[in-house]
Amino acid sequence: KYNGEVEAPKDIHRPLFRAYTSGSTGPSKQVVHSAFSMVGAVQQMNFYGSSDQFRPTWMVTLLPPSLVAVVVSMVLLPLASNKLLILCPFVAAEDVDLEMMRYRPNCWPLIPMFIELVMRNGRVPDDYDMSHLISAGAGCEAYNNNQLERAQKFLNDHNCKTRFTAGYGCSEAGSNMSLPMSAHPIGNGNVGIPMPLTTISIFQPNTEEECTYNQLGEICQSGPGTMLGYDNKKATDNAIKLHSDGKKWLHTGDIGYMTEDGTIFELTRGSAPRYGGGDLATLPMENLLADAKIEGIDDEFFVIIPDEEHHRCFLPYLFVVLEDGYSVDDIREKVTECLEPYMYPVDIIELEERPFFHFKTNRIGLTNDILNGKFE
């Protein structure tokens, strides 16, 4: 019942904020950040979506403050960079399109779920002018070439000339690790270049051996936005390692590569070998289908599940949203023509629409459905 003051020394590195990861790719963990790591992320991003001609508006819909990225990149960032912050925490997920038209924000974190709802709901009039958006892009999860093309077309059709980009980050790094500032075309996993004070390198998984340019490896980060750790020491020790260069490196578990000019390409999470050979990298597989522009496919994505018959091996299932009048049989042959044999899906399953869980594609839910025989 004590309600007096407690003296404590000033320490910008003291644990200050703890929040859960989203839990969309595995068990949710609590990430611990300090004032230093949170300010470190904000300081590197404070120019994002800025303008010297007017005071931009920045809208945040629905996203909960239980996520580090929301607090740092979507609340503290606009407040620290003199934007007008519009908080809409209680809008229904299915009504974010109405909220966009109500406030006409200049910046709005268009995670894949939100832009999908805006396009899917059909309530944005054909003549609605979206030129109020001065930045648009998808973080939160990997975005394949088909999704990028559909989103860009929707923006262009509504008089928004902003390039729809893809970023990269994680709760463990405060939020963003890269910024989409690159001469390379957006797509194929291109997530831009490292933030100004952030070092990103590609290492052989679980080692300090650095990969050369254009060589696949584990994406690792070192910089002021790095978390103090998880609430579990073993998990912290697996993720944050002190290298012989004296730097503290965050091992993300994500697989990608870096070009000679520092552009990062993020392709998949972890290694998923298939029995008999080949590694199932989800984004490159999805992009093979996207670039083939198979008639009848509106949306497609892979779900990689454990192979119960072969230890530490995995199997791919392909989920598709089809245009009216098409069936899975109409696309099956074209799908296999685009893929290497080791990529062939065990099954192609039609969905009415892409499902989401905690703002990301619900791959965990679909994995459970497959394992429980729902689609047999």
Side-chain angles (χ1 to χ4, degrees):
K1 296 181 180 180
Y2 180 77
N3 59 10
E5 294 184 359
V6 176
E7 293 293 332
K10 293 180 180 179
D11 183 2
I12 197 172
H13 297 284
R14 178 189 294 118
L16 173 69
F17 185 80
R18 178 189 297 194
Y20 284 100
T21 59
S22 67
S24 59
T25 58
S28 183
K29 300 182 288 293
Q30 284 198 326
V31 170
V32 182
H33 276 274
S34 65
F36 180 86
S37 63
M38 294 168 75
V39 171
V42 169
Q43 191 274 338
Q44 297 176 84
M45 293 177 62
N46 61 17
F47 59 87
Y48 195 80
S50 62
S51 171
D52 59 358
Q53 302 297 319
F54 65 98
R55 186 187 187 195
T57 58
W58 181 291
M59 183 174 74
V60 178
T61 45
L62 189 65
L63 293 163
S66 57
L67 300 175
V68 172
V70 175
V71 172
V72 177
S73 293
M74 300 176 194
V75 176
L76 295 181
L77 168 62
L79 287 175
S81 53
N82 195 35
K83 295 178 178 66
L84 177 61
L85 177 60
I86 304 169
L87 292 173
C88 310
F90 304 117
V91 59
E94 60 271 17
D95 290 336
V96 292
D97 54 337
L98 301 180
E99 208 77 346
M100 177 196 72
M101 291 187 285
R102 176 185 179 188
Y103 288 109
R104 298 179 61 82
N106 304 126
C107 305
W108 176 31
L110 270 177
I111 61 173
M113 173 182 164
F114 289 171
I115 185 62
E116 185 74 24
L117 287 168
V118 170
M119 296 187 294
R120 180 193 298 175
N121 286 350
R123 298 188 295 201
V124 176
D126 291 342
D127 61 353
Y128 176 77
D129 188 344
M130 290 183 69
S131 60
H132 54 83
L133 284 176
I134 62 174
S135 67
C140 194
E141 67 173 337
Y143 220 54
N144 66 42
N145 292 352
N146 182 25
Q147 292 172 291
L148 282 167
E149 186 175 314
R150 287 192 296 120
Q152 188 66 65
K153 182 179 185 304
F154 187 85
L155 293 182
N156 292 347
D157 289 347
H158 290 84
N159 195 37
C160 180
K161 309 304 182 190
T162 297
R163 184 172 65 162
F164 194 89
T165 58
Y168 174 61
C170 59
S171 298
E172 289 83 349
S175 182
N176 289 42
M177 289 165 51
S178 71
L179 292 168
M181 300 167 63
S182 169
H184 293 274
I186 296 297
N188 296 319
N190 176 4
V191 292
I193 63 175
M195 293 206 303
L197 302 178
T198 296
T199 302
I200 294 180
S201 190
I202 313 298
F203 292 91
Q204 295 290 346
N206 300 313
T207 73
E208 293 187 34
E209 184 180 345
E210 199 165 13
C211 298
T212 189
Y213 296 119
N214 303 301
Q215 180 184 1
L216 281 179
E218 182 182 15
I219 301 173
C220 298
Q221 175 260 15
S222 179
T226 310
M227 68 174 179
L228 298 181
Y230 296 115
D231 60 342
N232 179 285
K233 186 179 184 304
K234 183 177 180 181
T236 300
D237 292 342
N238 286 335
I240 297 182
K241 301 180 185 297
L242 184 65
H243 284 199
S244 54
D245 60 6
K247 292 183 179 179
K248 183 174 70 173
W249 285 89
L250 170 66
H251 286 244
T252 67
D254 294 326
I255 302 300
Y257 65 93
M258 182 180 287
T259 61
E260 289 88 343
D261 63 0
T263 304
I264 307 151
F265 287 76
E266 192 267 332
L267 303 182
T268 192
R269 178 156 187 83
S271 177
R274 188 167 189 175
Y275 182 74
D279 201 287
L280 303 170
T282 49
L283 190 62
M285 290 163 59
E286 291 177 12
N287 284 339
L288 286 173
L289 296 179
D291 294 346
K293 301 188 184 305
I294 299 172
E295 186 176 344
I297 295 181
D298 183 55
D299 191 13
E300 43 83 14
F301 62 93
F302 279 93
V303 171
I304 311 299
I305 73 164
D307 183 345
E308 295 181 329
E309 296 183 4
H310 302 99
H311 184 53
R312 293 186 177 177
C313 291
F314 295 83
L315 296 169
Y317 283 75
L318 176 62
F319 287 85
V320 295
V321 177
L322 299 178
E323 297 173 358
D324 290 342
Y326 287 86
S327 69
V328 168
D329 289 337
D330 296 326
I331 65 165
R332 194 183 303 275
E333 184 175 343
K334 294 289 180 63
V335 166
T336 55
E337 287 176 1
C338 303
L339 302 174
E340 297 292 331
Y342 76 87
M343 301 176 180
Y344 289 169
V346 174
D347 196 5
I348 304 175
I349 301 168
E350 182 180 1
L351 298 174
E352 290 187 6
E353 58 188 32
R354 180 184 289 247
F356 291 94
F357 168 73
H358 215 166
F359 314 108
K360 299 182 183 181
T361 302
N362 191 8
R363 287 182 167 88
I364 286 184
L366 292 172
T367 296
N368 292 333
D369 288 341
I370 294 169
L371 296 175
N372 292 329
K374 178 179 178 180
F375 300 112
E376 291 181 356

